[in-house]
Amino acid sequence: MTTRIIRDYLEESMKYALITGLLMSFLSSHALSSSILNKTDLRENGNSYVLEQNRRFIESLESCTPREDGSYRVIVQGFSLFSKLKMNISGAVVDTLAGLPLEERSLISPKHNGTRVTQKTIEIAGKKIELCLVVSEVLWDLAAANLIAIANEFKPDFILLSGKGSTRAVIETGGRNKSGSGSGYLGNGTNAGPLNRPRSRRIDPRYKSSKVIKSSWHYEKILKASRPFIEALDHKVELGDEGRAENNYICNNIHYALLQSATEGNIELAGGLLRPSMMQEEIPAIGFFHYPSNTLNSDPGTELSSWSLVIKEIIKAQLNL
C-alpha cells in the first residue's frame, strides 16, 4: 500500500512541475519571499505532499456543517495508527463516539486525504451537542491544515484535540513553536520517512522555537471534572507545564498550529506553501488531552466506552453544562 501511495504521489509531483510558474505567482501574491521556500520545514517533496493532500481534502468536501441554530458545536479530534500500534486510543475514542465497529476504530484509508470526518448529534446534560468527529493521520502540518479547514466550515465553540502520550493522562496548558525530528506516519501505520520529516526545529519559521501560546480551554476546571473518571480507570492525570519542551511531536504541532491560527491570524505550514487562518467571528476554545500510554489491554471495547465518558465530561466542563 505504501509503495502505491508514494508512486501516486510522484506521478502527481510530475504534473505539478508543469505549473510551477503559477504556484510562484500565488506565493508572491501572498507576500511570501523566495527565501522562505529555501527554508522549508519538510523539504521540497514533503511540503508539496502536504500542499497537495490539503488541496484534495478541501475539494473532497469531507467536513462538518452546522445543522441547528443555537446548538453547541464541538470538534473532537484524535489520530490514526503510528509506530507498531494496532489501535490508537485517541482516534479509537473518537470512533467510539461516532459508533464505528471496534475493528474499524482509528483506521484511515488513503481516500480520506489525511483526515476522516464523521458528524453526530448527542445530548449532554440535556443540551444538544453537534459533534464533528475527526481522525487525522499522524502527519506533520497536514493534520493541522485539514483541521483548520474543518473548523472554518463547522465554526465550533470548542476544539478538543487528543493523542497518545506517556504514563499519565495530561491536560496540556499550551503549545510551543517547536518541532521534533521524528517522521510522521501514513494511515496504515507505516513510517513516512523523509516524505514527512521536519527539517526545521520550528513549526512556524517566522518565530522563535521558544514561543509558547497558552491553551484557551478551562484546563483547571477540566482537570477537576475529569479526574474522578480517569482515576476510576486506574490512571493518574495532571496538568502539563505550559508548552513543555518534551511535547514536541505531531500532537504539539497540531495544538500550536490551531492556537496560533485562531489567535494571531494565520500559521505558516509546509515551508510557507500554506498559511491557513481560522476565520471565525468568535474564537473557539482549544485544548489538547493526552491519553496515558498503558491502555487498550484486555477489554478495549469496554475501556473505550469508559474513555468516551471522560471526553463527555471534558465537554460538559468546558461548555459549563
Side-chain angles (χ1 to χ4, degrees):
M1 181 180 292
T2 303
T3 301
R4 177 171 55 81
I5 294 170
I6 294 175
R7 184 180 65 246
D8 291 345
Y9 159 70
L10 291 174
E11 290 176 355
E12 290 294 329
S13 294
M14 292 177 65
K15 295 177 184 178
Y16 272 80
L18 300 176
I19 59 169
T20 300
L22 292 176
L23 179 58
M24 293 301 296
S25 176
F26 171 81
L27 295 174
S28 177
S29 68
H30 285 71
L32 297 177
S33 70
S34 60
S35 63
I36 291 177
L37 296 178
N38 294 327
K39 297 178 181 177
T40 56
D41 286 340
L42 302 167
R43 299 185 184 273
E44 185 176 357
N45 284 350
N47 291 326
S48 297
Y49 179 79
V50 169
L51 176 69
E52 172 62 5
Q53 289 295 97
N54 177 247
R55 182 191 67 80
R56 289 183 179 184
F57 175 77
I58 292 172
E59 290 183 353
S60 74
L61 302 178
E62 185 170 356
S63 188
C64 297
T65 56
R67 290 176 175 172
E68 295 186 37
D69 292 337
S71 62
Y72 291 102
R73 292 190 290 274
V74 178
I75 292 175
V76 183
Q77 178 271 347
F79 286 101
S80 61
L81 304 184
F82 71 100
S83 190
K84 297 181 179 180
L85 288 181
K86 295 182 179 179
M87 183 182 289
N88 187 331
I89 184 170
S90 64
V93 171
V94 169
D95 286 339
T96 300
L97 291 167
L100 268 63
L102 181 62
E103 63 272 14
E104 296 179 13
R105 297 177 193 176
S106 78
L107 302 180
I108 185 171
S109 71
K111 70 178 182 180
H112 295 294
N113 303 302
T115 305
R116 175 165 54 76
V117 181
T118 307
Q119 189 166 353
K120 187 175 183 178
T121 300
I122 65 171
E123 282 196 8
I124 298 178
K127 301 292 184 180
K128 282 189 176 181
I129 311 293
E130 293 183 47
L131 292 181
C132 183
L133 302 164
V134 178
V135 176
S136 309
E137 284 187 315
V138 185
L139 290 175
W140 294 96
D141 288 6
L142 182 61
N146 284 359
L147 192 58
I148 291 170
I150 293 169
N152 285 336
E153 181 72 20
F154 190 55
K155 295 177 173 53
D157 302 291
F158 177 33
I159 301 176
L160 174 53
L161 310 166
S162 67
K164 183 175 181 291
S166 188
T167 55
R168 294 187 174 197
V170 177
I171 294 170
E172 302 293 351
T173 62
R176 181 183 294 271
N177 187 36
K178 184 176 181 180
S179 298
S181 57
S183 297
Y185 287 81
L186 300 172
N188 62 359
T190 302
N191 191 301
L195 186 63
N196 194 251
R197 179 182 298 148
R199 178 183 182 182
S200 169
R201 290 304 179 96
R202 293 172 292 173
I203 297 171
D204 189 325
R206 297 174 296 179
Y207 305 102
K208 294 181 179 180
S209 62
S210 59
K211 180 181 176 181
V212 172
I213 301 178
K214 186 176 181 179
S215 298
S216 54
W217 62 342
H218 303 315
Y219 46 78
E220 291 184 349
K221 181 179 181 180
I222 287 166
L223 174 67
K224 182 178 179 180
S226 64
R227 175 173 275 154
F229 294 86
I230 295 172
E231 291 183 345
L233 292 168
D234 293 325
H235 291 286
K236 300 295 184 181
V237 60
E238 62 187 13
L239 295 180
D241 293 335
E242 191 173 305
R244 56 194 180 100
E246 64 271 24
N247 181 29
N248 62 2
Y249 192 50
I250 294 168
C251 292
N252 178 67
N253 179 259
I254 193 172
H255 189 197
Y256 177 86
L258 263 74
L259 287 171
Q260 183 172 302
S261 175
T263 61
E264 300 184 16
N266 63 44
I267 178 76
E268 188 171 287
L269 301 173
L273 299 185
L274 288 170
R275 270 192 178 183
S277 299
M278 198 173 294
M279 299 175 288
Q280 291 185 227
E281 292 183 5
E282 296 186 12
I283 296 174
I286 299 170
F288 197 103
F289 176 71
H290 266 119
Y291 292 90
S293 56
N294 186 25
T295 55
L296 306 183
N297 297 312
S298 59
D299 188 359
T302 299
E303 192 173 353
L304 287 169
S305 295
S306 298
W307 280 110
S308 69
L309 294 177
V310 173
I311 294 302
K312 289 179 181 179
E313 284 299 313
I314 291 174
I315 294 171
K316 180 180 176 182
Q318 177 61 41
L319 298 180
N320 297 312
L321 300 180

